[in-house]
Amino acid sequence: MLKGHQSWEFPSKPVILATATVVGPDEGQGPLSDQFDIVHGDTKLGQDSWEKAEKKMMEEAAEHAIQSANLTKEHVQFYVGGDLMNQIISNSFAVRTMQIPYLGIFGACSTSMEGLAIASMLVDGGYASYAMAGTCSHNCTAEKQFRYPTEYGSQKPPSAQYTVTGAGCAVIGKQGDGPKVTGATIGRVVDMGIKDPFNMGAAMAPAAVDTLQSHFRDFDRDPGYYDLIVTGDLAAVGYDIALDLLHKHHIPIGQTTYKDCGLMIYDRNKQQVQAGGSGCGCSATVTYGHLYRLLKKGELKRVLVVATGALLSPISFQQGESIPGIAHAVAIESGV
């Protein structure tokens, strides 16, 4: 049901029955290494292209999530997913293999929570008994499409982020054991005129704060309602900007713990990841891996995940367009 101006409340509290995460070697060497279901030692996963490797990660995550939910793909009515590739081919081709009715979406790196919100809405509204949400990214495919191929060896400024090689998937059902999705806030497009593709954090931070403001307004809540608030992939630069904007708008973020998935997935002191992580797989793997486990055990009671995305394309950048930002928030409660 509609809550306020741009939020949804899910009265039936759809359950995240199972999740699955698949990551590459860099993510497997980070501080959350033991929180992922599958860690690959090779970024190509035995495939002959980076793009095929990304598709395979998505297939593995979806298959593992279905198995963990003790279901088969025939039980799932809809799969909601997208990624960073042109025409969202990683998810489209993965679902071609799975043959589940498919809703393809694109929200850049915010796709993880956009998908979870839509899948939860389908289940809450009675339009599906089981729905899935999935997304993925790959460092080499994203760099090749949006910036420079890794083989080119170009230097990057400290503000640049390191695209996560990873895939995350969740199975949502009407009832069962697991964390519950209680609501979502759909963000607006916010454009502050940033044109630097090596500074995604600055482009996305204003959208994250705008969505947080809207969420607190629509649900009449303060930040302290949640044990933890995480943004998707602002990393070091965007995280600091978001903190400044939260204080500027008098949002008492100090009431809770505020973290960023882009700063959680890597150890910036030991790994060469510039400002931190980014990509669709960033918030997806952290949420469906680390945070899901904490919620399932009851160590966290209420979490708000605000996935952020930079809505640029290679064409828009080449034509001198600025980089709009978007952020979608999903509220999750422990089932314990």
Side-chain angles (χ1 to χ4, degrees), residues 13 179-180 182 215 221-230 256-257 291 294-296 298-305 330-336:
K13 297 185 178 181
K180 303 177 187 300
T182 59
H215 180 82
R221 293 173 182 166
D222 291 323
Y225 180 84
Y226 297 99
D227 300 323
L228 174 68
I229 293 175
V230 292
T256 187
T257 300
L291 300 182
L294 293 177
L295 284 160
K296 195 169 183 179
E299 293 182 23
L300 289 173
K301 296 297 185 183
R302 297 187 185 117
V303 173
L304 183 67
V305 183
V330 174
I332 308 172
E333 291 185 0
S334 172
V336 178

Side-chain angles (χ1 to χ4, degrees), residues 229-278:
I229 293 175
V230 292
T231 41
D233 53 346
L234 299 181
V237 175
Y239 180 80
D240 287 344
I241 293 173
L243 278 176
D244 288 343
L245 289 172
L246 288 165
H247 292 311
K248 178 181 178 181
H249 293 291
H250 305 292
I251 299 173
I253 197 66
Q255 292 179 354
T256 187
T257 300
Y258 168 43
K259 295 183 178 181
D260 184 79
C261 296
L263 294 174
M264 297 167 68
I265 195 165
Y266 297 124
D267 185 340
R268 293 176 61 234
N269 294 320
K270 298 179 180 179
Q271 296 177 282
Q272 295 182 349
V273 294
Q274 291 85 38
S278 69

Side-chain angles (χ1 to χ4, degrees), residues 59-313:
E59 290 173 342
E60 289 178 340
E63 290 168 0
H64 191 82
I66 291 173
Q67 291 172 2
S68 297
N70 294 316
L71 301 172
T72 66
K73 63 182 181 180
E74 287 75 24
H75 287 103
V76 181
Q77 280 83 38
F78 301 102
Y79 176 99
V80 185
D83 49 79
L84 295 176
M85 292 295 92
N86 287 339
Q87 288 75 52
I88 55 175
I89 57 171
S90 298
N91 273 260
S92 298
F93 287 7
V95 180
R96 175 183 65 181
T97 304
M98 293 184 285
Q99 286 295 291
I100 297 173
Y102 172 52
L103 290 166
I105 58 174
F106 179 80
C109 302
S110 71
T111 299
S112 61
M113 290 304 106
E114 181 180 359
L116 181 57
I118 293 172
S120 300
M121 180 176 64
L122 290 171
V123 172
D124 180 69
Y127 299 103
S129 297
Y130 300 103
M132 294 178 66
T135 190
C136 58
S137 58
H138 193 297
N139 184 270
C140 296
T141 65
E143 290 301 309
K144 182 168 70 174
Q145 178 168 293
F146 289 101
R147 286 168 285 272
Y148 299 104
T150 53
E151 298 90 337
Y152 185 75
S154 64
Q155 291 186 312
K156 299 175 183 177
S159 61
Q161 293 173 237
Y162 194 84
T163 304
V164 166
T165 298
C169 196
V171 179
I172 315 301
K174 286 181 175 293
Q175 56 189 4
D177 295 327
K180 303 177 187 300
V181 182
T182 59
T185 298
I186 304 305
R188 303 182 298 177
V189 175
V190 179
D191 191 340
M192 301 303 291
I194 302 295
K195 293 187 176 183
D196 182 1
F198 292 103
N199 196 358
M200 295 292 95
M204 297 184 289
V209 174
D210 185 75
T211 297
L212 280 168
Q213 286 182 291
S214 300
H215 180 82
F216 297 140
R217 177 200 66 214
D218 287 352
F219 285 94
D220 191 23
R221 293 173 182 166
D222 291 323
Y225 180 84
Y226 297 99
D227 300 323
L228 174 68
I229 293 175
V230 292
T231 41
D233 53 346
L234 299 181
V237 175
Y239 180 80
D240 287 344
I241 293 173
L243 278 176
D244 288 343
L245 289 172
L246 288 165
H247 292 311
K248 178 181 178 181
H249 293 291
H250 305 292
I251 299 173
I253 197 66
Q255 292 179 354
T256 187
T257 300
Y258 168 43
K259 295 183 178 181
D260 184 79
C261 296
L263 294 174
M264 297 167 68
I265 195 165
Y266 297 124
D267 185 340
R268 293 176 61 234
N269 294 320
K270 298 179 180 179
Q271 296 177 282
Q272 295 182 349
V273 294
Q274 291 85 38
S278 69
C280 288
C282 184
S283 57
T285 56
V286 173
T287 300
Y288 296 148
H290 177 57
L291 300 182
Y292 176 77
R293 284 165 169 76
L294 293 177
L295 284 160
K296 195 169 183 179
K297 290 186 292 187
E299 293 182 23
L300 289 173
K301 296 297 185 183
R302 297 187 185 117
V303 173
L304 183 67
V305 183
V306 188
T308 52
L311 302 176
L312 81 162
S313 77

Side-chain angles (χ1 to χ4, degrees), residues 14-87:
V15 180
I16 303 177
L17 297 173
T19 64
T21 52
V22 181
V23 299
D26 291 319
E27 296 69 28
Q29 295 171 8
L32 303 181
S33 59
D34 62 344
Q35 304 288 292
F36 306 123
D37 296 295
I38 300 173
V39 177
H40 286 282
D42 173 17
T43 55
K44 278 198 172 178
L45 282 69
Q47 305 298 300
D48 58 11
S49 74
W50 309 120
E51 288 76 15
K52 289 180 180 178
E54 183 173 336
K55 174 185 75 76
K56 185 176 180 180
M57 284 195 304
M58 193 70 258
E59 290 173 342
E60 289 178 340
E63 290 168 0
H64 191 82
I66 291 173
Q67 291 172 2
S68 297
N70 294 316
L71 301 172
T72 66
K73 63 182 181 180
E74 287 75 24
H75 287 103
V76 181
Q77 280 83 38
F78 301 102
Y79 176 99
V80 185
D83 49 79
L84 295 176
M85 292 295 92
N86 287 339
Q87 288 75 52

